[in-house]
Amino acid sequence: MKETILTGIRVNSELTLGNFLGALVPMVRLANKYSKDYNVNIFVPDLHTIISDVDGDIPSNTIRSLKYYLAAGLELNENIHIYRQSRVPAHSELCWILDCTASMGELNRMTQYKEKSEGKESVNVGIFNYPVLMAADILLYSAKYVPVGEDQFQHLELTRNIAMRFNNKFGETFVLPVKTSDQVKFMNVENGIRIRDLLNPEKKMSKSTAAENSKIMLSDAPERAAKKIMSATTDSLGKIKFDMFNQPGISNLMQIDALVTDSPLQDVISTWSGETHYGDLKAKVAADVKVFLEEFQNRLANIPDEEVLRLLEAGETYANEVAGRKLAEVQKAVGLR
Ligand code: TYM
């Protein structure tokens, strides 16, 4: 049995450079390196998408988002499976069964839930239950490696806890995804990736931040994206050092540069450490982001919708088979069959 690498990105809107560099590009690089020997599942969590408002419509956003993987250089073969969560009913069904193992307390502790519900009078149950559906997405396919950005690590740890508890109670049923420290090693990055807001680098870059200059969208004109990098907030310490805590702005730029040029972060850090001209670093990162976006957007324009639709058809047949088998095993374990 091949092991599985799996990831998903919601399609509420256009993606930011944060989603792209934090999850999509690492996934494409892993897929290209390992897909001969692993199953690589790339799915669209469209049920997770409807927890909040959607810009545009889900079918078009889905096609666009899947084209991003191809434009980022994903090399297709028979081990790569692409599907929509809503077309595989086992996800929702397993979510319910796992709901009966997960506790209110552990879901209440999820940082993302706290952030999304803070100050709101009313919050939908989907936002609260979202990590359990995510656990179902992962456990149905026995995925060991789940390349995601750092903000999703807590949900991965929760998935492990839910799976462990289930296995203890009902017998060995689920394969656990590896610990986040080992996910990071597999992704060949130093730490979990968190691309920062360009104007307010204490925060992560997010599609929901209003200020246009705080985020780079994948559809930004490359020249405009370069200008956003040039106007990024740094600090007044005057010496370049990779230190996300004390110098998050300048460190974020080094992180972005490493990812867009596919270079080890350590190499970028050694090139710039100790330099005093922040403008030189910004100009280099701006130029690299510009080239990266130009190449990406050119490739994107040449991918027909039909290519993605074909992939979905094959992928959804595969996903229903694998997930259906696991769901039947789970139903048996809990006594439903
Ligand atoms: P979502 O759609 O919010 O984000 C998609 C991916 O992008 C990463 N990301 C970032 N990485 C680095 N820097 C940033 N600023 C940044 N912003 C976003 C996220 O960490 C994520 O990897 N729950 C997931 C989707 C999901 C999923 C799954 C993922 C549902 N089921 C199963 C993996 C496996 C989510 O909402 O991600």
Side-chain angles (χ1 to χ4, degrees), residues 20-226:
F20 193 64
L21 297 180
L24 195 147
V25 167
M27 182 57 165
V28 168
R29 289 179 182 153
L30 288 178
N32 290 350
K33 189 163 163 196
Y34 292 115
S35 70
K36 277 193 197 66
D37 304 315
Y38 287 75
N39 284 310
V40 174
N41 291 17
I42 293 176
F43 79 103
V44 173
D46 48 1
L47 297 171
H48 278 107
T49 299
I50 60 170
I51 59 159
S52 55
D53 294 343
V54 177
D55 285 348
D57 65 272
I58 294 179
S60 329
N61 290 2
T62 297
I63 301 281
R64 182 181 55 200
S65 148
L66 290 173
K67 282 185 185 175
Y68 288 157
Y69 289 92
L70 301 177
L74 178 69
E75 293 157 15
L76 294 169
N77 68 28
E78 71 285 357
N79 292 334
I80 296 188
H81 312 289
I82 295 183
Y83 51 93
R84 289 162 287 195
Q85 188 186 36
S86 64
R87 301 306 197 276
V88 188
H91 290 241
S92 312
E93 295 187 28
L94 180 60
C95 176
W96 176 258
I97 296 175
L98 297 180
D99 271 338
C100 302
T101 332
S103 78
M104 301 283 286
E106 64 190 345
L107 294 186
N108 251 322
R109 284 195 292 277
M110 293 294 111
T111 308
Q112 206 165 71
Y113 167 67
K114 287 195 218 157
E115 282 171 6
K116 283 191 197 292
S117 58
E118 199 183 347
K120 297 227 172 88
E121 222 170 76
S122 155
V123 179
N124 71 55
V125 176
I127 291 184
F128 182 68
N129 202 24
Y130 151 124
V132 183
L133 179 58
M134 180 162 166
D137 300 336
I138 296 168
L139 298 175
L140 275 175
Y141 302 89
S142 308
K144 278 188 82 168
Y145 299 105
V146 186
V148 284
E150 195 216 355
D151 61 315
Q152 296 295 321
F153 279 9
Q154 201 184 20
H155 296 156
L156 272 185
E157 291 298 347
L158 176 78
T159 301
R160 285 172 50 82
N161 290 337
I162 290 177
M164 255 184 280
R165 200 174 313 133
F166 187 101
N167 285 351
N168 283 338
K169 185 159 177 204
F170 298 110
E172 229 28 63
T173 309
F174 292 124
V175 171
L176 268 56
V178 303
K179 287 205 235 52
T180 48
S181 52
D182 294 328
Q183 300 281 351
V184 166
K185 279 190 208 134
F186 187 70
M187 283 166 78
N188 199 16
V189 290
E190 263 87 333
N191 289 301
I193 300 171
R194 174 179 292 248
I195 304 296
R196 309 304 179 108
D197 181 301
L198 294 176
L199 297 181
N200 187 358
E202 275 81 33
K203 290 182 12 194
K204 72 165 184 176
M205 184 183 286
S206 163
K207 20 193 178 205
S208 51
T209 310
E212 281 304 315
N213 282 347
S214 69
K215 57 193 175 187
I216 291 178
M217 307 305 291
L218 294 182
S219 60
D220 276 356
E223 194 58 53
R224 173 127 201 270

